[in-house]
Amino acid sequence: VQLQASGGGLVQAEGSLRLSCVASGSIFSIRSMGWYRQAPGKQRELVADISKGDGISNYADSAKGRFTVSIDNTKNMLFLQMNSLKPEDTAVYYCNAVAPIPEVPTQRYWGQGTQVTVSS
């Protein structure tokens, strides 16, 4: 599975951005997709993820009410609509997919990351 994320950039506080991620390769094996982020000096953390089959989503507390994760199975694309952005949302955002393989039922794949910078 290969993942290509895009859509990051520089935005002022309270602004919006929409991240996109396109999946290719063994997409039939993907069970869920999500967005993680990593700020300088901090660990990578989950922002939101969504099940590819039933569309059930899960959000970090920091994202609830401001971010919306969605998936377009026809185009093999994942999105993250981010509204009311805050300076603390500044981070590199990574697209993630869970695609089990026989030996590793929780095999994860990562995109290259896209920088989001929110100015105050």
Side-chain angles (χ1 to χ4, degrees):
V1 175
Q2 294 81 47
L3 303 170
Q4 181 73 34
S6 62
L10 173 63
V11 63
Q12 290 187 332
E14 297 304 313
S16 299
L17 279 176
R18 187 188 193 214
L19 305 184
S20 301
C21 175
V22 58
S24 60
S26 300
I27 56 176
F28 62 90
S29 64
I30 294 175
R31 294 296 176 263
S32 65
M33 297 183 73
W35 292 97
Y36 286 70
R37 69 185 183 187
Q38 188 167 19
K42 295 187 177 181
Q43 289 188 333
R44 191 173 297 188
E45 62 178 5
L46 172 70
V47 177
D49 59 17
I50 184 168
S51 170
K52 196 167 183 284
D54 55 19
I56 293 176
S57 58
N58 173 52
Y59 294 89
D61 287 343
S62 59
K64 289 178 181 177
R66 300 187 300 129
F67 295 0
T68 303
V69 63
S70 60
I71 194 166
D72 183 338
N73 287 319
T74 65
K75 297 180 180 179
N76 304 311
M77 293 191 71
L78 177 74
F79 304 97
L80 184 68
Q81 178 66 44
M82 304 186 293
N83 299 325
S84 302
L85 283 161
K86 304 175 182 180
E88 50 263 44
D89 294 318
T90 295
V92 177
Y93 284 69
Y94 295 92
C95 177
N96 167 270
V98 177
I101 59 176
E103 299 80 15
V104 186
T106 58
Q107 178 68 41
R108 291 183 177 273
Y109 299 87
W110 297 92
Q112 85 288 5
T114 184
Q115 176 71 46
V116 172
T117 303
V118 184
S119 63
S120 58

